Amino acid sequence: MMNKLPKDFLWGNSVSSMQTEGAWNEGGKGKSVYDIREPSEFASDWKVATDSYHRYEEDFDLMQDLGMNCYRFQISWSRICPTGDGAFNQEGIDFYHRFIDALIARGIEPMICLYHFDMPLALAEEYNGFNDRRVMDAFVRYGKKMIDCYGDKVKYWLTFNEQNIFHMPIAFRISGYMRGDETLRELYEVQHHTMVAHVQLTQYLHQTKPGKLMGGMLAHQLIYPATCKPRDIFCAQQFDEFLNQNLLRVYAGEGYSPEVMAVVKREGFDDIYREDDLALIAQNKNDYMAFSYYASRTLDSDPIPEGCAVNYYLQYGDKNNPYLEATEWNWQIDPLGFRTIITRYYNDWRLPVFPIENGIGVIESWDGENMIADDYRIAYHRDHINAMKEAIFEDGAEVIGYLGWGLIDILSSQGDMRKRYGVVYVNRENHDLKDLKRVPKKSYAWLKQAIHSNGEEM
């Protein structure tokens, strides 16, 4: 496919602060829930990460050389507000001003994400995270401060990374939850409180910074039914409605899914969803639809117990797809699924689509001399970019850009440095920091050519 993408197409990198920044006790930063997590055999602590707090200029130079013109990063809430809801830390605010200015100086569009799972420890300990509306209010206060500080410099905004994950069982690991029975009611509390915060900040950005854009982001769960058996198809559709479409409907200005709200009523969760919340949500509309995508999943309905909440279907019915290859982590590689999501988003919602995480995690090591020949990474990104181009040029989708995940190696979401996504190797292991040297892999030259040709030379 030779179609060339538009000149203003955004190519770039996506990261979170706790997986990159380090400097956990510098610059006035308070503790987050990640700062107290203990290392294990296959997980580092989070104290140094890839030390981008001190080395971001070096990383930005590599991005500029690659031709990247967009960088999505997360602001550390506890660096800005050490207790989560107290005095703001000017040293932290100044750091991100320098950070953003360094991007702009290199022609790289900054894109801010306000929350990527690292709840300030004080809020988690006192209130149990987003289960408590006081934490929701504290997040909105922090988010408004960030819009006030950086809104004149930054065009693209996100509130929450992969917001639908707050409606899955993993929510209890990423929402500041520290105690309790992990009930379905609590899962609905977390989901709703994060959405109310998102809507409030979307409204505030539109009111105070006209022309700046707020997106909603999913970890899109593309689920295939295991067979053409009607119950497999029905359960896959239910899962899609609860874990994808429910939030997309809010982002598009339609409010929550009637199917989801029927469960709210049946389970007696109505008191979570206050009338003024729902009125505010009904007024919301995002400016673009963002998502992460790495792999598709397949659902077998047979193991799902009768009466099981939809949120837990994958815990029982997740099944390998025999038609797809998989990574070492059993993430099944499916470029056509990428095209499917992009095309459906634009068909359904008529809002610009922005895939902001895509990549392949692989165990890699460097011998200190020879270039890492990661042809598998070249193949993965080539096939997914071509699938995106098919969605644009054959299906008519409007796409803002393509951001790879962690294109300079970072800690994985589990803290495992063995799982590498980058076209640049960072010389450290889980428990040996080495020298943190940045070393381009074979895929670096390929990606540079792809970006400089705007996707024409693949």
Side-chain angles (χ1 to χ4, degrees):
M1 178 182 292
M2 297 299 290
N3 300 83
K4 194 170 185 176
L5 293 159
K7 287 183 178 180
D8 61 352
F9 192 81
L10 296 179
W11 296 92
N13 194 10
S14 232
V15 299
S16 79
S17 67
M18 88 271 189
Q19 292 167 276
T20 55
E21 268 185 18
W24 71 288
N25 60 353
E26 297 181 47
K29 181 183 178 297
K31 285 184 179 179
S32 84
V33 292
Y34 279 81
D35 294 327
I36 62 168
R37 290 192 179 173
E38 295 292 332
S40 61
E41 182 182 2
F42 296 124
S44 169
D45 65 30
W46 300 83
K47 292 178 169 56
V48 176
T50 57
D51 196 32
S52 70
Y53 185 84
H54 300 108
R55 305 179 70 142
Y56 65 84
E57 298 258 12
E58 177 184 358
D59 292 342
F60 293 174
D61 286 343
L62 287 164
M63 287 184 240
Q64 184 181 28
D65 180 63
L66 278 164
M68 290 180 177
N69 57 1
C70 186
Y71 185 55
R72 173 222 164 185
F73 64 96
Q74 174 223 349
I75 290 176
S76 169
W77 184 356
S78 55
R79 189 175 296 286
I80 293 294
C81 186
T83 63
D85 196 26
F88 291 110
N89 172 30
Q90 190 61 44
E91 193 172 352
I93 292 170
D94 292 343
F95 167 75
Y96 288 112
H97 272 299
R98 295 192 300 272
F99 191 94
I100 291 166
D101 290 345
L103 287 167
I104 293 170
R106 290 167 174 80
I108 301 172
E109 183 92 51
M111 179 183 189
I112 286 178
C113 176
L114 293 171
Y115 185 80
H116 197 123
F117 312 155
D118 58 341
M119 172 74 61
L121 181 61
L123 292 180
E125 289 179 334
E126 185 169 1
Y127 301 118
N128 213 28
F130 277 114
N131 280 97
D132 195 305
R133 289 184 73 100
R134 287 170 290 189
V135 173
M136 177 190 82
D137 293 338
F139 177 75
V140 171
R141 174 177 173 263
Y142 145 72
K144 288 180 176 180
K145 179 70 172 179
M146 296 301 88
I147 291 169
D148 292 343
C149 287
Y150 310 121
D152 293 333
K153 298 179 180 180
V154 177
K155 179 178 180 180
Y156 292 98
W157 290 78
L158 288 170
T159 51
F160 295 97
N161 178 70
E162 299 179 328
Q163 194 173 350
N164 57 333
I165 293 183
F166 294 104
H167 212 192
M168 303 177 194
I170 195 177
F172 297 113
R173 278 188 57 82
I174 63 172
S175 64
Y177 188 91
M178 299 190 78
R179 57 192 174 273
D181 297 325
E182 300 187 3
T183 65
L184 184 64
R185 178 186 175 85
E186 289 174 312
L187 202 55
Y188 273 77
E189 284 176 346
V190 173
Q191 183 276 317
H192 181 61
H193 293 165
T194 52
M195 183 55 81
V196 173
H198 167 80
V199 170
Q200 288 187 43
L201 289 172
T202 300
Q203 187 178 75
Y204 187 76
L205 181 72
H206 289 161
Q207 289 172 347
T208 62
K209 304 293 178 183
K212 307 304 183 182
L213 307 179
M214 182 69 82
M217 180 195 179
L218 302 188
H220 193 93
Q221 303 290 294
L222 182 63
I223 305 293
Y224 299 125
T227 70
C228 58
K229 182 168 57 180
R231 188 166 187 264
D232 283 355
I233 295 168
F234 180 72
C235 288
Q237 289 175 340
Q238 276 189 308
F239 192 90
D240 178 56
E241 185 63 34
F242 276 69
L243 280 311
N244 295 321
Q245 304 306 319
N246 182 44
L247 274 71
L248 293 173
R249 294 184 195 288
V250 176
Y251 297 156
E254 293 186 355
Y256 286 129
S257 163
E259 188 176 354
V260 173
M261 294 308 291
V263 170
V264 167
K265 185 174 182 62
R266 186 164 65 246
E267 295 289 341
F269 299 160
D270 309 66
D271 58 304
I272 298 171
Y273 295 75
R274 300 180 182 179
E275 286 187 17
D276 54 339
D277 294 346
L278 296 176
L280 182 67
I281 284 170
Q283 301 168 21
N284 175 77
K285 188 166 185 178
N286 284 5
D287 301 299
Y288 61 95
M289 296 289 202
F291 69 95
S292 65
Y293 177 79
Y294 299 92
S296 58
R297 310 282 289 274
T298 301
L299 186 67
D300 178 1
S301 66
D302 285 346
I304 299 172
E306 196 67 37
C308 175
V310 176
N311 313 68
Y312 305 119
Y313 278 5
L314 273 182
Q315 289 186 319
Y316 296 98
D318 196 14
K319 185 175 183 178
N320 287 339
N321 188 329
Y323 301 103
L324 297 174
E325 294 182 2
T327 70
E328 295 151 291
W329 311 94
N330 202 35
W331 289 25
Q332 298 198 278
I333 300 169
D334 184 10
L336 185 58
F338 193 48
R339 175 180 177 179
T340 298
I341 296 168
I342 294 169
T343 300
R344 185 176 177 193
Y345 272 34
Y346 197 65
N347 281 347
D348 286 355
W349 311 114
R350 305 296 200 278
L351 289 171
V353 184
F354 202 167
I356 59 173
E357 286 186 30
N358 178 239
I360 181 170
V362 179
I363 294 176
E364 294 170 324
S365 59
W366 180 50
D367 63 10
E369 295 181 12
N370 297 300
M371 179 182 289
I372 294 171
D374 56 339
D375 294 280
Y376 42 82
R377 182 166 288 108
I378 294 171
Y380 181 95
H381 283 288
R382 181 195 63 229
D383 292 349
H384 283 77
I385 292 169
N386 276 332
M388 174 187 68
K389 289 168 67 177
E390 288 166 353
I392 295 169
F393 295 112
E394 296 183 25
D395 304 340
E398 180 183 345
V399 178
I400 295 171
Y402 173 86
L403 307 187
W405 174 251
L407 291 176
I408 296 171
D409 283 347
I410 63 177
L411 285 175
S412 77
S413 60
Q414 302 304 313
D416 192 349
M417 198 67 203
R418 296 177 307 151
K419 190 178 186 183
R420 296 175 180 267
Y421 287 87
V423 300
V424 176
Y425 186 88
V426 174
N427 192 35
R428 67 153 292 181
E429 296 173 357
N430 277 329
H431 308 300
D432 183 356
L433 293 177
K434 298 187 175 182
D435 60 4
L436 294 165
K437 182 177 180 180
R438 276 59 168 158
V439 184
K441 306 173 190 177
K442 183 178 179 180
S443 57
Y444 182 96
W446 172 84
L447 184 60
K448 182 175 179 178
Q449 180 184 53
I451 293 174
H452 280 271
S453 68
N454 251 13
E456 191 172 22
E457 296 179 35
M458 299 284 288

